[in-house]
Amino acid sequence: MLEFSGGIVPSAAILDASDPLAIEKAAGIIRKGGLVAFPTETVYGLGANSEDPLAVARIFEVKGRPRIDPVIVHVADPASAARYGRLPDLAQVLMKRFWPGALTLVVEKTDAVPPIVTAGLDTVAVRNPSHPAALALIRASGCGIAAPSANMFGYVSPTTAQHVAEQLGNRIDLILDGGPCSIGVESTILSLAGAVPSVLRAGGIPLEEIEALTGKLTVLIHAEQRPMAPGQLKRHYATQTRLVISAEAAQDLRPGERAGLLSLSMPGDSEKYAAVEVLSASGNLKEAAANFFGALRRLDSLSLDRIIARPIPEEGLGLALMDRLRRASAAETPPEADSGPPTAG
Ligand code: TXA
Ligand code: MG
């Protein structure tokens, strides 16, 4: 609970996203400039009317997000994407194959996008989510919805309504509960704004699936390799508990240390750890992605000395998971010290 001069701020209502009345109420809040957390197939988003600069400014305040980090505009269909971005031929091909779904496209922006949304860049990120509640909310609102993940900046992304309520419940107007996110990691971000298409963030659509259509892509997901725009922090998706990636985790345990283990499949030495999170008993990377952020949150809630993560194979959704683990394990760097481009949030 937040204390303010008027007393305690009540926590936002959590409404069932499958209820049409809840969608209507949420859309009314968006139209009036309020903030609604809503489910998508990737992670929960914190949404505002993308054409209302004051509403978008509130997103940055509530998340503690630096204004230099642009947000994605969520649309209900490819036609609405054209209101906000200039879509080249390749965008049409990609939208036909992957929309609605977990692919975000960065393209040249139109005047319908206020500068605060894109942090002053002349490009905009557009995404057409597939979650029925997200689509219903966008349609009922009658505008694009600017939305970052609904977590405090830099922390683990939310994959349930409860996760949102724990961090942001008393700072926003409404939470729509659409159940746990089916994919569990953020969208893949592909920029079509440069000389060649380039992948800015590994995410819910595996790189291999996009490359099957486009041919080999330039991949710029490591901050140091991306000198083009502000915003991306090397440390992100981070737990409060220190996290290290180690293949031989058990050998690294210090005497008396209470460590938690995050592992794709069941380890042989689980008794050495104070807690163990297995992402998928069968080693399935889709199941692992769906469990990933929830498992990190559970480990982070146990006041452990350290979280030790076993490396995950970097294929399919594993590429996105290892990217998140690397950022979570990166040493703390102040935002000014980071010169990489956007793609975290
Ligand atoms: O799956 C997702 O993409 C989720 C759900 C809610 O849709 N959203 C999400 O938003 O992950 P966020 O803000 O946490 O991450 C989006 C990233 C930002 O870090 C930003 O750097 C990048 O997208 N981005 C946005 N606009 C951009 C632009 N014009 N150029 C390059 N990167 C951009
Ligand atoms: Mg984020």
Side-chain angles (χ1 to χ4, degrees):
M1 288 273 157
L2 272 186
E3 295 276 354
F4 78 130
S5 54
I8 302 268
V9 180
S11 207
I14 303 181
L15 299 181
D16 178 355
S18 63
D19 176 0
L21 289 175
I23 295 292
E24 217 15 82
K25 186 174 165 104
I29 292 172
I30 295 282
R31 284 194 296 266
K32 287 200 202 90
L35 300 188
V36 175
F38 64 100
T40 83
E41 70 280 19
T42 58
V43 301
Y44 274 71
L46 178 60
N49 178 349
S50 69
E51 301 190 32
D52 179 342
L54 288 179
V56 177
R58 264 192 77 204
I59 293 179
F60 287 88
E61 269 162 42
V62 159
K63 277 195 59 135
R65 178 180 177 112
R67 288 278 186 105
I68 54 166
D69 196 3
V71 293
I72 297 172
V73 176
H74 296 69
V75 294
D77 46 51
S80 320
R83 174 167 171 75
Y84 301 111
R86 295 187 209 292
L87 305 166
D89 291 347
L90 181 56
Q92 308 290 349
V93 174
L94 290 163
M95 291 187 302
K96 197 155 181 236
R97 168 74 176 80
F98 295 108
W99 280 18
L103 177 67
T104 294
L105 296 175
V106 172
V107 296
E108 192 190 326
K109 84 179 207 50
T110 68
D111 291 341
V113 185
I116 187 169
V117 172
T118 65
L121 297 175
D122 53 14
T123 57
V124 64
V126 281
R127 155 158 146 75
N128 176 206
S130 66
H131 195 296
L135 291 172
L137 176 65
I138 301 165
R139 289 207 180 96
S141 301
C143 54
I145 295 191
S149 49
N151 52 278
M152 290 303 287
F153 184 74
Y155 192 64
V156 178
S157 298
T159 52
T160 65
Q162 206 47 48
H163 292 163
V164 179
E166 283 161 16
Q167 274 193 6
L168 301 179
N170 51 12
R171 300 165 185 234
I172 64 181
D173 300 307
L174 183 69
I175 299 171
L176 288 174
D177 185 352
C181 300
S182 57
I183 293 180
V185 286
E186 298 83 350
S187 59
T188 302
I189 303 181
L190 181 66
S191 173
L192 303 179
V196 292
S198 45
V199 180
L200 300 185
R201 178 172 72 185
I205 302 283
L207 185 57
E208 298 90 329
E209 283 184 30
I210 304 173
E211 287 186 331
L213 201 72
T214 59
K216 201 82 188 141
L217 288 167
T218 305
V219 179
L220 303 176
I221 62 176
H222 304 298
E224 336 39 281
Q225 293 171 16
R226 292 190 291 118
M228 24 160 310
Q232 167 133 34
L233 293 174
K234 197 172 163 200
R235 178 175 168 84
H236 208 80
Y237 311 107
T239 47
Q240 318 266 296
T241 314
R242 200 159 82 77
L243 182 147
V244 295
I245 304 171
S246 169
E248 303 285 340
Q251 290 178 9
D252 296 344
L253 281 182
R254 298 169 196 139
E257 185 182 32
R258 283 183 73 245
L261 181 71
L262 182 78
S263 174
L264 175 60
S265 45
M266 198 59 188
D269 55 354
S270 59
E271 71 291 344
K272 299 191 175 96
Y273 301 90
V276 176
E277 287 283 347
V278 174
L279 294 174
S280 165
S282 62
N284 179 299
L285 290 168
K286 280 191 178 164
E287 187 184 8
N291 289 327
F292 182 73
F293 283 127
L296 273 181
R297 275 174 193 259
R298 282 191 294 276
L299 289 174
D300 204 18
S301 71
L302 299 175
S303 306
L304 298 165
D305 298 324
R306 265 194 315 170
I307 297 170
I308 297 174
R310 290 274 171 83
I312 294 172
E314 292 191 69
E315 60 197 30
L317 292 181
L319 186 64
L321 297 183
M322 273 306 282
D323 169 70
R324 306 304 183 268
L325 284 178
R326 285 201 185 94
R327 287 183 209 286
S329 68
E332 200 103 37
T333 37
E336 319 72 84
D338 187 82
S339 60
T343 306

